[in-house]
Amino acid sequence: MSDTPFGFGLPPEEPENGDEGKKKDQQSGGGQGPANPFGFGFPGAGGPGADNPLAAMFGSMNPNDLGAAFQQLGQMLSYEGGPVNWEMAKQIARQTVSQGTSDGTKDASVGPAERTAVEEAVRLADLWLDDATSLPSGAGSAVAWSRAEWVEATLPVWKELVDPVAERVGAAMGDVLPEEMQAMAGPLIGMMRSMGGAMFGTQIGQAVGVLAGEVVGSTDIGLPLGPAGRAALLPLNIASFGKDLGVPQEEVRLYLALREAAHQRLFAHVPWLRSHLFGAVEGYARGIKVDTAKLEDVVGQLDPQNPEQLQDALQQGMFQPEDTPEQKAALARLETALALVEGWVDAVVHSAAKPRLSSADALRETLRRRRATGGPAEQTFATLIGLELRPRRLRDASRLWASLTDARGVDGRDGLWAHPDMLPTASDLDDPDGFVHREQLDFSELDKMLGEAASGSTEKPNLKKEDAPKDAPEDDSKGDGTK
């Protein structure tokens, strides 16, 4: 888990010696890829913005563009919105996309032939999935996106994911700063909020822009980033993904369409799943706390008559958040839920593709290794909420779902998504055979009991649905109306 998913140290002032500044950036995690795309310290994400957010906004600072640069700076300082300047995030993401990926591939509009190919692939994938899962189709439409279109379509969901964490970090800063210090640093804190919103926006924009060059659909990170009911694929990135695999492009596109369509079915017909995943992110945000002991030590050494000392302390990260038990518990829940989602998709897609695609095994392993090596999707998400998806959990979850299919059939397997309490836990992933052959609690009987208790037809039992032990076997009662 990331130590500082939203490191709260402001970036140092740009050194006069450019080479020295670059060296310092490399020592603090710069280099290839967004090492910390959401931190208040600025990672070396490559290209403009690697050293500071102004470079990302102003490019090479051509003197002819100086007026526009200062206009953007004024907009940044005058920002009074939420914890993240999302307009700036979109602007930076679009700029990052327009620069192309490291292999020199530039974004391009999707042509009619590519759109038709995607629509047909998703339509065929849905037909194949009908034999592999009891969940009906969840894709009301299929679309082919360019990278820029992916950015536009997914930003609303990124906002929903990031805002709770960014807001809590900002609130934590205000909560722990003594009142007299707040009064003294009022103008500075106001400016910091504006700068903070811009800096969050800049880093998120860079990360989303890099991610747009890698993803092949709207569900690559296990979350529904696109509009509900719309299966989306990126033809340009699919071509890059399958370039050196030795597999026909049509099979690559169809296999990825199967994965996208399977995700859509799950999120469309398991109504509690999306809120369960996003709620874990909010739970993480609520658990953010600041090391007050460290803060008191720093504040105790500050001279109230010397505001420069406060600014220096802010720049050195005096509000760096610490991990808490609440955060760890929320992340553990999220990790398990994501593993179950990805494992179910992996098992269902393999069941649908294996009899029909000669390359099914090779494509499955390629995607698993892609997860294991941790591409930008995993890095971005890990930095976003301090979580790294463990490939071992994904493989374990896939084996568990496959075993459930053998033991209980497709309906019995998919029926576990009816309620979160019926799903396997992290410990069940360690012992899949134990879970598969364990007798499950009949929730319909519990619902009947609770209904009878509410109507007063029986003596009210001291049992709630959520209090029932998940792994307790059914045991016929002696006529007292309980199990």
Side-chain angles (χ1 to χ4, degrees):
M1 187 166 65
S2 172
D3 293 333
T4 57
F6 276 84
F8 214 68
L10 293 179
E13 296 180 359
E14 185 70 10
E16 294 181 3
N17 187 330
D19 291 336
E20 180 182 346
K22 292 179 182 178
K23 182 178 179 181
K24 181 181 294 185
D25 178 71
Q26 292 170 356
Q27 291 174 346
S28 61
Q32 298 297 321
N36 183 17
F38 300 109
F40 262 143
F42 294 96
D51 296 321
N52 61 72
L54 302 184
M57 288 182 290
F58 306 148
S60 60
M61 290 295 290
N62 188 307
N64 295 331
D65 299 329
L66 196 57
F70 277 108
Q71 182 179 2
Q72 285 186 298
L73 180 59
Q75 292 173 353
M76 181 177 70
L77 294 176
S78 62
Y79 173 71
E80 296 180 353
V84 179
N85 188 331
W86 285 103
E87 188 60 35
M88 181 168 292
K90 181 169 72 172
Q91 177 185 349
I92 298 300
R94 293 293 297 263
Q95 290 178 358
T96 303
V97 164
S98 67
Q99 293 166 8
T101 53
S102 58
D103 63 359
T105 305
K106 297 284 187 179
D107 193 22
S109 299
V110 179
E114 292 173 315
R115 295 188 186 279
T116 300
V118 166
E119 291 170 358
E120 291 179 351
V122 172
R123 188 181 304 114
L124 182 56
D126 255 337
L127 289 175
W128 290 3
L129 288 172
D130 285 340
D131 297 332
T133 174
S134 62
L135 299 180
S137 174
S141 62
V143 294
W145 284 339
S146 66
R147 293 167 180 171
E149 287 174 324
W150 182 89
V151 168
E152 294 280 354
T154 62
L155 271 179
V157 179
W158 286 115
K159 185 177 187 298
E160 188 175 351
L161 277 170
V162 174
D163 270 352
V165 183
E167 185 174 359
R168 182 57 193 136
V169 170
M173 181 190 73
D175 292 343
V176 299
L177 193 63
E179 291 185 7
E180 58 183 34
M181 295 294 292
Q182 289 186 20
M184 179 195 74
L188 176 61
I189 291 179
M191 185 177 69
M192 281 177 54
R193 287 197 183 101
S194 297
M195 291 288 291
M199 287 187 287
F200 270 126
T202 299
Q203 300 305 322
I204 293 169
Q206 288 176 344
V208 170
V210 171
L211 190 55
E214 297 287 337
V215 294
V216 295
S218 69
T219 54
D220 279 34
I221 65 172
L223 290 174
L225 295 179
R230 185 178 300 174
L233 295 175
L234 282 72
L236 181 61
N237 291 354
I238 290 175
S240 297
F241 171 78
K243 184 177 179 181
D244 300 319
L245 296 181
V247 176
Q249 188 71 17
E250 294 76 13
E251 291 195 19
V252 174
R253 180 171 53 243
L254 184 51
Y255 193 87
L256 296 175
L258 280 166
R259 289 183 54 83
E260 178 75 10
H263 276 103
Q264 294 294 336
R265 289 186 181 223
L266 193 58
F267 284 106
H269 300 291
V270 182
W272 55 265
L273 182 57
R274 188 182 190 278
S275 60
H276 180 73
L277 294 169
F278 282 63
V281 178
E282 294 180 2
Y284 171 85
R286 287 193 300 270
I288 291 178
K289 290 183 174 62
V290 172
D291 188 347
T292 54
K294 176 183 176 182
L295 177 65
E296 289 174 359
D297 291 341
V298 174
V299 172
Q301 300 173 13
L302 295 179
D303 180 4
Q305 303 300 321
N306 187 359
E308 288 79 7
Q309 283 190 352
L310 175 60
Q311 184 174 2
D312 292 341
L314 291 171
Q315 291 176 343
Q316 294 171 11
M318 66 185 286
F319 293 110
Q320 202 170 73
E322 60 179 359
D323 293 335
T324 65
E326 295 85 355
Q327 285 174 290
K328 293 176 180 178
L331 293 179
R333 290 195 302 271
L334 182 58
E335 181 183 47
T336 300
L338 285 173
L340 292 173
V341 168
E342 290 295 293
W344 182 88
V345 168
D346 180 80
V348 167
V349 167
H350 185 69
S351 175
K354 177 69 173 175
R356 301 176 172 95
L357 292 179
S358 59
S359 58
D361 289 332
L363 289 170
R364 183 190 202 188
E365 189 59 30
T366 298
L367 286 164
R368 283 180 165 183
R369 290 182 180 180
R370 192 184 191 213
R371 280 285 193 182
T373 55
E378 287 76 14
Q379 294 172 5
T380 299
F381 194 57
T383 308
L384 169 60
I385 59 172
L387 170 70
E388 291 189 13
L389 302 179
R390 291 179 292 173
R392 180 180 64 85
R393 297 283 84 183
L394 301 182
R395 291 179 183 269
D396 289 346
S398 180
R399 283 194 292 268
L400 186 147
W401 288 118
S403 298
L404 282 168
T405 306
D406 295 337
R408 304 184 188 182
V410 169
D411 291 341
R413 177 200 67 197
D414 294 345
L416 293 178
W417 290 105
H419 193 279
D421 287 346
M422 297 175 68
L423 286 178
T425 64
S427 60
D428 292 326
L429 295 180
D430 296 325
D431 181 22
D433 290 338
F435 179 84
V436 168
H437 299 294
R438 183 185 309 150
E439 190 175 0
Q440 299 296 299
L441 187 66
D442 189 344
F443 278 83
S444 63
E445 290 298 321
L446 283 173
D447 288 335
K448 180 180 178 181
M449 288 163 42
L450 292 174
E452 292 174 348
S455 63
S457 60
T458 63
E459 190 176 296
K460 191 174 292 186
N462 293 320
L463 177 64
K464 296 181 181 179
K465 181 176 178 180
E466 61 268 24
D467 292 333
K470 177 182 170 184
D471 56 353
E474 289 186 3
D475 182 21
D476 291 337
S477 64
K478 297 180 179 180
D480 59 357
T482 61
K483 285 197 178 227

